[in-house]
Amino acid sequence: MSELSEIATLNENQRVLEAILFISCDPVDVRDLVALLGMRSQEIEKNFQSLQAFYANCHHGLTIRKVAGGWQMTTVNDLADILESYNDDIRRRKIRLSRAALECLAITAYNQPVTRSEIEDIRGVRSERVIDTLLSHGLLRIAGRAKGTGSPLLYRTTDKFLELFGLNAVSDLPTMDELEALSGSDCNGRDGTED
Amino acid sequence: MDLSQKENKTGHINGINEFYVEVEGFSGPLDLLCSLIESREIDVKKISVSTFVKIYSNFLYNTERASISAISDFITAAAAIVLGKVTALVPVRRKTEEESENEDDVEKELLISEEKLVEMLERYRPYRYASFYLEQLKGNSDLCVKRSLTEDTPLFDLGDLYGIASIWWKYYETLINNGSSKNDPQMFRMDGIPFAIPEEKQVENRMAELEEITEEHEETDLRSILGDSPDISILVVTLLALLEMARLGRIKVIQERLFGNVRIVRNSNAE
């Protein structure tokens, strides 16, 4: 990391990657660049990491982050207020998720592939409409049907889900035990007030 | 209460002197009588309804105050007395101990036990924490703004059949190249999601599963077949399969009481 932090200028490959990130709306998958740049994926990955360190050390208005298995250029988080004031569209673009929607996403993320009845079984309430909303937002996708009687639809989270929550993979989520520990400091207050 | 007794105008009716009773809060003697019966101050079984009807109808007739309203009140009150008397006279069937126990069982089944509720909450709690965690992640992620998509021009103009056909052909090629759909194209929709198995096929599959169960156990019951939390579709398919198997004489389906568990007994006479 110390080597990465010493980068003062970008090499030719890093400049290309920077330009690709600049024009891309969705996270850039390294595999899509292998043929284009004639480089091995590990090499491209390393260049992205260097680029990420370069932006982090330059006190830049932009940052490079790894989400949904790809690389993405975004603005830094401390400029959010001023950017929202400058452009109303940024606020409008945000997806608002209800508690029910967040619970459905959490259950799906930790148990995928999962059926609707399994989600409802854990939540204890009907969740058909919430699932439909999440499907329409592209945060859940249908991932086939469960074998056996009734052959219900199976649901999985999408790359858009990972992107929305700033995750690189579902495995980045804390384990259930870690959540229990985190809940002691962060969630207890809200848990108590909402119940 | 303000009671006043008036002199007899018409003499005796069946040996009983006619008298007027006016009580505050009651529209007539029968209304008062109904109230006394309802409050169990008078035993309805000891009242001769026919005598009272006779007395009151004579009272209405002789006083010349029999308005439609008074008659309707009389009919309502008389009906209430008759109903009370019938209820009092018809013997009440006492519930057997077994029936009482069965009712208790049904009530217990309807209520979620405390242990089950605690179990459900224990299972739900981590996901609630997870939803809070996701909310935090989203809040942080929302602060980073990415480049937004500009609205693209459509890939084809209205009436551009070549454009539409090209997109369709590309889509079709993707589908053909998809390995899973190549194996059994009838089983998959265009988006790669398999179709639901037809209901009759599901029933057949379920019958095969039930056959295996009944071969292993001579007698079983619906609850154990369905498990703890059956899906409605599973319940429906299972019931249809059971009915078909019963029709074919392979099993006997017995429900000894309403809402009770359904026993499934293998028919040993079946081939």
Side-chain angles (χ1 to χ4, degrees):
Chain A
M1 195 65 192
S2 59
E3 187 193 327
L4 295 172
S5 63
E6 286 167 9
I7 295 170
T9 53
L10 300 177
N11 65 31
E12 197 55 29
N13 288 332
Q14 288 160 356
R15 285 179 64 233
V16 171
L17 293 176
E18 183 189 32
I20 288 171
L21 288 179
F22 176 74
I23 61 161
S24 301
C25 300
D26 296 321
V28 176
D29 193 331
V30 170
R31 288 170 298 186
D32 296 340
L33 302 178
V34 171
L36 180 75
L37 303 177
M39 295 163 70
R40 287 182 297 122
S41 56
Q42 292 92 334
E43 207 177 337
I44 298 171
E45 195 75 30
K46 200 173 175 184
N47 275 299
F48 269 128
Q49 286 169 5
S50 301
L51 196 61
Q52 187 181 39
F54 174 79
Y55 272 82
N57 294 326
C58 286
H59 195 62
H60 214 288
L62 298 173
T63 186
I64 314 288
R65 56 182 198 157
K66 193 162 190 190
V67 288
W71 290 90
Q72 190 177 44
M73 181 182 272
T74 66
T75 61
V76 290
N77 55 14
D78 59 302
L79 299 181
D81 289 341
I82 198 160
L83 291 174
E84 281 188 10
S85 305
Y86 173 73
N87 189 346
D88 282 346
D89 196 40
I90 293 170
R91 191 177 286 113
R92 278 199 296 271
R93 274 190 349 229
K94 282 181 185 171
I95 297 173
R96 286 178 179 78
L97 293 173
S98 64
R99 174 66 47 211
L102 287 165
E103 284 177 10
C104 282
L105 283 172
I107 293 165
T108 311
Y110 279 92
N111 299 285
Q112 54 191 317
V114 67
T115 64
R116 179 169 60 84
S117 64
E118 285 166 343
I119 294 173
E120 289 174 346
D121 206 28
I122 292 171
R123 291 192 65 227
V125 288
R126 291 193 67 173
S127 306
E128 198 170 0
R129 291 187 68 180
V130 185
I131 292 170
D132 284 345
T133 308
L134 293 171
L135 284 169
S136 68
H137 278 308
L139 298 175
L140 287 186
R141 67 182 172 88
I142 296 168
R145 290 185 184 275
K147 284 178 184 171
T149 311
S151 53
L153 290 169
L154 288 164
Y155 299 100
R156 276 185 180 278
T157 53
T158 61
D159 283 350
K160 191 176 176 184
F161 160 79
L162 296 173
E163 198 184 333
L164 186 72
F165 290 91
L167 293 162
N168 184 36
V170 176
S171 55
D172 288 354
L173 286 169
T175 62
M176 288 292 178
D177 291 338
E178 286 167 344
L179 274 174
E180 289 275 358
L182 282 172
S183 67
S185 55
D186 280 348
C187 304
N188 268 352
R190 281 176 295 180
D191 202 15
T193 51
E194 285 201 10
D195 285 341
Chain B
M1 277 187 166
D2 176 27
L3 298 170
S4 63
Q5 192 168 347
K6 292 188 178 180
E7 281 187 10
N8 187 354
K9 281 183 183 174
T10 55
H12 295 84
I13 302 167
N14 293 338
I16 301 169
N17 289 330
E18 185 198 10
F19 65 95
Y20 297 100
V21 182
E22 288 180 9
V23 185
E24 280 180 17
F26 295 94
S27 60
L30 277 186
D31 196 12
L32 173 62
L33 190 62
C34 283
S35 177
L36 290 170
I37 289 167
E38 279 167 11
S39 62
R40 303 198 184 276
E41 288 173 61
I42 291 177
D43 186 1
V44 73
K45 282 187 274 188
K46 291 178 183 169
I47 292 171
S48 166
V49 177
S50 63
T51 310
F52 270 90
V53 168
K54 217 176 272 179
I55 293 167
Y56 197 67
S57 56
N58 272 308
F59 157 75
L60 290 175
Y61 177 75
N62 292 320
T63 53
E64 298 174 355
R65 294 189 305 184
S67 64
I68 292 174
S69 168
I71 291 170
S72 69
D73 286 347
F74 161 67
I75 292 169
T76 309
I81 290 171
V82 171
L83 179 66
K85 179 139 186 170
V86 168
T87 314
L89 289 173
V90 172
V92 180
R93 191 171 73 91
R94 290 189 182 279
K95 286 173 187 166
T96 61
E97 274 185 23
E98 194 186 345
E99 280 176 333
S100 305
E101 278 175 16
N102 289 343
E103 276 184 10
D104 290 346
D105 288 346
V106 170
E107 276 178 22
K108 277 178 195 167
E109 281 169 15
L110 290 174
L111 292 170
I112 299 172
S113 67
E114 196 177 333
E115 292 83 29
K116 179 136 190 181
L117 192 64
V118 169
E119 190 188 310
M120 283 171 70
L121 286 171
E122 286 293 325
R123 197 166 45 150
Y124 164 71
R125 187 180 294 143
Y127 296 104
R128 187 168 169 81
Y129 294 150
S131 73
F132 287 129
Y133 182 76
L134 285 179
E135 191 177 27
Q136 281 179 0
L137 281 184
K138 186 175 177 298
N140 294 336
S141 187
D142 279 348
L143 297 174
C144 300
V145 185
K146 65 166 189 170
R147 183 179 285 275
S148 65
L149 271 173
T150 51
E151 198 171 332
D152 290 331
T153 50
L155 293 167
F156 54 87
D157 292 327
L158 200 64
D160 178 10
L161 289 176
Y162 179 76
I164 298 170
S166 303
I167 292 166
W168 176 255
W169 186 248
K170 198 175 166 187
Y171 189 54
Y172 180 70
E173 275 186 339
T174 313
L175 183 77
I176 293 298
N177 292 333
N178 186 335
S180 55
S181 59
K182 214 187 282 182
N183 296 336
D184 190 359
Q186 295 299 317
M187 291 301 289
F188 287 86
R189 300 193 317 203
M190 291 301 276
D191 54 5
I193 299 159
F195 284 112
I197 301 167
E199 283 172 12
E200 61 273 17
K201 186 74 181 165
Q202 286 185 30
V203 173
E204 282 171 18
N205 292 344
R206 190 60 170 157
M207 280 172 69
E209 288 169 18
L210 293 171
E211 288 275 8
E212 281 178 21
I213 293 170
T214 50
E215 272 173 28
E216 281 178 27
H217 311 281
E218 192 173 346
E219 182 175 337
T220 182
D221 58 86
L222 185 61
R223 193 166 295 158
S224 58
I225 286 175
L226 291 173
D228 290 335
S229 51
D231 193 77
I232 291 171
S233 58
I234 294 171
L235 174 68
V236 170
V237 171
T238 305
L239 286 175
L240 288 172
L242 286 173
L243 288 172
E244 183 61 13
M245 285 171 74
R247 190 183 70 79
L248 295 170
R250 293 176 193 168
I251 55 163
K252 286 177 185 169
V253 180
I254 304 156
Q255 189 180 33
E256 285 168 348
R257 60 183 170 83
L258 203 59
F259 303 117
N261 199 6
V262 177
R263 283 168 54 214
I264 296 145
V265 184
R266 186 178 66 205
N267 195 352
S268 50
N269 298 329
E271 287 176 12

